[in-house]
């Protein structure tokens, strides 16, 4: 039975430019709300970009994604799937960062997601930079390492930057593997391209059995073939989906800090998510949307559209 409370406000009832902007016009259900115990998938903003090594801005991502997501309707045009009728989805608000203290922010996020996990809520987060993924994984990978399907133009498998043990948006997945949060044999990274410092990231991938699909291979083989392999690698055990918007070509998605040319178009960006069908997602995120360098909000709109496609996989 469909729970009316958890249905998004339709544009047939209230125009989509009106009202308070929540993710996909879902109800706002913070902790302590009378219906908080009934949420199954929680949409969460992570307004933090303290892991950014170059151009900052994704701290403003959640607001822009919320605003753009008011254009989302209830039914997937391609598949006919209606995710809000399959799972109770709600906007949980933001996990609050400490913008001047990275380690404190990581600890706050981890505590937040561990609490969600304990309540049985699966998160779909909106970043924030890609370092936000690490504390999410620390919070939810409680039942053993997760599989990972990762769309990005970068591997984010680099060792510490600037000496010491500095965490950045360039190394969340290396740390997640080293901490036992992810099973490297059930990891696939798709869309990798651009100039690199060296091979230190791909050497780590090889040594640990992480599958990397460069953009040349994705285009040569085609999306359905590569994604069939992704479904095989990730399997049906619990997995995480992480989507860095810089996977998409910057002609389509310019609003991001580390763009790389030669990427997928908007249709292909959506298609790869639909091809994740059948995966058991313990959580997912959309990261690196940077409104200060966006044009006409187009990157935020694509990011919000991709969040809907991800939600369709999560709710199936
Ligand atoms: Mn990334
Ligand atoms: Mn990237």
């Amino acid at each position: 039975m469909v729970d009316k409370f958890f249905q998004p406000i339709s544009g047939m009832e209230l125009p989509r430019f009106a009202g308070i902007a929540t993710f996909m016009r879902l109800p706002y259900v913070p902790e302590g709300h009378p219906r908080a115990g009934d949420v199954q998938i929680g949409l969460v903003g992570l307004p933090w970009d303290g892991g950014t090594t170059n151009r900052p801005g994704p701290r403003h991502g959640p607001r822009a994604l919320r605003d753009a997501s008011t254009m989302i309707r209830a039914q997937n045009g391609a598949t006919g799937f209606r995710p809000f009728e399959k799972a109770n989805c709600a906007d949980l608000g933001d996990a609050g960062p400490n913008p001047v203290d990275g380690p404190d922010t990581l600890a706050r996020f981890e505590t937040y997601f561990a609490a969600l996990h304990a309540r049985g809520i699966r998160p779909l987060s909106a970043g924030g930079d890609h370092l936000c993924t690490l504390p999410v994984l620390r919070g939810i990978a409680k039942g053993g390492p997760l599989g990972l399907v990762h769309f990005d133009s970068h591997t984010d498998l680099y060792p510490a930057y600037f000496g010491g043990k500095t965490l950045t948006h360039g190394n969340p997945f290396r740390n997640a593997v080293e901490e036992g949060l992810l099973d490297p044999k059930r990891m696939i990274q798709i869309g990798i391209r651009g100039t690199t410092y060296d091979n230190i990231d791909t050497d780590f991938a090889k040594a640990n059995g992480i599958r990397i699909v460069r953009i040349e291979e994705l285009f040569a083989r085609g999306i359905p073939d590569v994604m069939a392999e992704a479904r095989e690698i990730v399997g049906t055990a619990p997995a995480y989906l992480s989507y860095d918007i810089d996977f998409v070509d910057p002609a389509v998605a310019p609003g991001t800090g580390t763009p790389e040319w030669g990427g997928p178009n908007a249709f292909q960006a959506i298609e790869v998510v639909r091809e994740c069908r059948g995966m058991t997602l313990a959580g997912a995120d959309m990261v690196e949307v940077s409104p200060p360098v966006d044009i006409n909000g187009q990157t935020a709109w694509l990011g919000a559209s991709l969040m809907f496609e991800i939600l369709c996989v999560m709710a199936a």
Side-chain angles (χ1 to χ4, degrees):
M1 211 180 72
V2 174
D3 190 330
K4 271 215 158 95
F5 174 81
F6 288 103
Q7 298 313 300
I9 299 168
S10 169
M12 301 261 190
E13 293 163 22
L14 182 70
R16 292 186 280 162
F17 51 82
I20 292 167
T22 58
F23 284 120
M24 301 179 201
R25 312 191 84 196
L26 286 162
Y28 172 47
V29 185
E31 208 185 340
H33 186 283
R35 298 301 310 273
D38 301 318
V39 177
Q40 295 170 307
I41 298 175
L43 286 80
V44 182
L46 300 175
W48 184 64
D49 54 22
T52 303
T53 53
N54 189 0
R55 299 191 298 166
R59 69 177 61 185
H60 303 294
R63 283 240 172 121
L65 287 161
R66 275 195 178 89
D67 191 11
S69 77
T70 59
M71 303 226 281
I72 297 288
R73 304 179 189 88
Q75 181 165 308
N76 189 313
T79 63
F81 188 69
R82 300 175 67 85
F84 309 114
E85 296 178 5
K86 295 290 178 193
N88 291 343
C89 305
D91 188 332
L92 306 187
D94 291 346
N98 176 346
V100 293
D101 191 328
D104 182 38
T105 299
L106 294 174
R108 287 167 190 241
F109 284 1
E110 181 181 347
T111 302
Y112 181 93
F113 285 94
L116 280 196
H117 181 76
R119 290 164 58 199
I121 298 175
R122 289 184 292 146
L124 170 54
S125 310
D129 70 40
H130 222 153
L131 183 54
C132 291
T133 304
L134 183 61
V136 175
L137 292 172
R138 285 173 175 167
I140 71 171
K142 302 291 190 189
L146 299 168
L148 178 76
V149 56
H150 172 198
F151 303 105
D152 204 323
S153 61
H154 315 99
T155 62
D156 297 347
L157 290 174
Y158 279 89
Y161 282 43
F162 317 120
K165 290 188 80 75
T166 311
L167 294 168
T168 76
H169 67 163
N171 59 27
F173 298 106
R174 190 188 190 97
N175 282 277
V177 168
E178 288 174 347
E179 292 177 26
L181 306 171
L182 294 173
D183 177 357
K185 304 280 191 299
R186 292 180 55 224
M187 277 176 71
I188 185 165
Q189 305 185 298
I190 299 167
I192 310 306
R193 61 186 186 274
T195 57
T196 58
Y197 294 108
D198 46 39
N199 298 320
I200 199 161
D201 58 333
T202 50
D203 288 347
F204 179 84
K206 267 188 208 124
N208 288 278
I210 298 168
R211 176 74 166 104
I212 290 177
V213 179
R214 290 187 49 86
I215 197 70
E216 295 83 3
E217 182 181 351
L218 182 67
F219 285 145
R221 286 173 57 194
I223 287 172
D225 189 39
V226 167
M227 291 310 297
E229 183 189 351
R231 289 194 297 274
E232 189 124 317
I233 288 172
V234 173
T236 53
Y240 192 83
L241 188 159
S242 194
Y243 202 126
D244 183 330
I245 198 69
D246 73 30
F247 168 75
V248 189
D249 194 86
V252 174
T256 194
T258 317
E260 308 289 356
W261 287 111
N265 63 28
F267 177 77
Q268 294 160 331
I270 291 167
E271 189 183 11
V272 292
V273 178
R274 288 189 188 142
E275 291 283 335
C276 290
R277 64 180 185 276
M279 291 184 190
T280 305
L281 297 181
D285 58 41
M286 161 54 55
V287 296
E288 300 285 355
V289 171
S290 184
V293 290
D294 201 3
I295 297 169
N296 295 331
Q298 69 188 56
T299 310
W301 171 224
L302 180 60
S305 302
L306 291 168
M307 285 179 72
F308 178 77
E309 294 291 340
I310 294 168
L311 190 65
C312 288
V313 177
M314 292 180 78

